[in-house]
Amino acid sequence: MLRERIILADDHPVFRDGLRRLIQRSAPEAEIAEANDFDELLALARSGPMPAILIVDLIFAGRSIEEALTGLRQEFARSSIVVVSMIEDRAIAERIMARGVNGFISKSLPPHEIITALDAVRDGDLVLRLDASGSSIPERDNEISTLTQRQLEVLRMLSAGKTNKEIAVSLGISPFTVRIHVSALLKSLGVSSRTAAAAKAVAGGLFP
């Protein structure tokens, strides 16, 4: 059986080493490769089995890789992509998420929260975490009423414990499309995880 392959790209060796150690404790069987810049990340990703997850900083040597993320998403369509950055601007984070990445995590989070967020992405969630409170998107009034019919269907299934793959099969859409719907409903509900979305739906009396 192939080992889970994780590629970690950050030009700050101390942070990269610390994050690698966190991941090793959480996923001891994973194969972790390290890159010092974006070009090295691409070389590593292209040289072996398809990575399960690409973890990348947003800024290398003072330059943003935001424009390159769209191409990265297209080339590695089956890989999860997570941006881990010092940037804590919500508008920027949401813009990055819109490029198809699976997670945006602030480096300022405590280590255990960073790894919890990464684990959530590895489990198939879309995660946006900017602060230690667990809430990166402000609450809105009547959140559930803003959901589309498709988002309600996805919410109903994830509340029943269905995976993205199971939801995709049931609705006849791709897992990536499911991720987009999940990301949108998390934003609408003002929560940062599937579990929180399900809890909010139940608490609101949407589902039994």
Side-chain angles (χ1 to χ4, degrees):
M1 181 180 295
L2 291 176
R3 298 170 63 192
E4 178 183 20
R5 188 166 184 245
I6 299 172
I7 301 179
L8 169 60
D10 195 292
D11 59 1
H12 293 84
V14 174
F15 177 82
R16 193 173 70 233
D17 181 67
L19 186 53
R20 176 181 55 79
R21 292 174 185 272
L22 286 174
I23 296 170
Q24 284 177 327
R25 288 202 294 267
S26 177
E29 301 302 319
E31 173 192 338
I32 304 173
E34 296 181 50
N36 189 58
D37 56 40
F38 188 71
D39 288 339
E40 191 175 349
L41 167 77
L42 288 176
L44 286 171
R46 292 166 175 166
S47 65
M50 180 70 68
I53 183 169
L54 301 168
I55 303 170
V56 59
D57 197 355
L58 188 63
I59 307 293
F60 289 91
R63 299 184 62 182
S64 172
I65 63 162
E66 179 178 347
E67 294 295 329
L69 289 172
T70 301
L72 192 69
R73 173 75 283 160
Q74 293 171 346
E75 183 173 354
F76 300 97
R78 291 182 294 161
S79 303
S80 294
I81 300 172
V82 180
V83 172
V84 181
S85 173
M86 286 300 297
I87 292 174
E88 296 182 341
D89 185 288
R90 183 170 62 86
I92 293 176
E94 291 185 348
R95 192 175 73 216
I96 296 300
M97 293 288 288
R99 290 186 177 272
V101 306
N102 305 85
F104 190 103
I105 302 170
S106 171
K107 286 184 177 181
S108 67
L109 291 172
H112 72 279
E113 294 204 20
I114 291 177
I115 201 62
T116 296
L118 286 173
D119 285 344
V121 172
R122 291 172 61 230
D123 287 339
D125 286 352
L126 283 166
V127 176
L128 194 163
R129 290 294 312 278
L130 297 182
D131 58 57
S133 71
S135 175
S136 56
I137 302 172
E139 294 288 338
R140 300 176 180 177
D141 294 331
N142 303 315
E143 303 99 330
I144 292 176
S145 67
T146 68
L147 300 182
T148 65
Q149 186 59 41
R150 180 63 91 187
Q151 289 168 356
L152 285 170
E153 292 173 342
V154 171
L155 179 58
R156 186 188 306 277
M157 292 184 185
L158 72 82
S159 296
K162 301 293 186 182
T163 65
N164 281 1
K165 184 175 181 180
E166 290 171 332
I167 295 173
V169 170
S170 295
L171 297 180
I173 57 180
S174 73
F176 183 70
T177 300
V178 174
R179 287 179 176 178
I180 293 174
H181 286 311
V182 171
S183 177
L185 69 87
L186 292 182
K187 180 178 178 180
S188 294
L189 294 176
V191 296
S192 58
S193 72
R194 296 159 70 96
T195 301
K200 195 161 195 174
V202 172
L206 188 59
F207 308 124

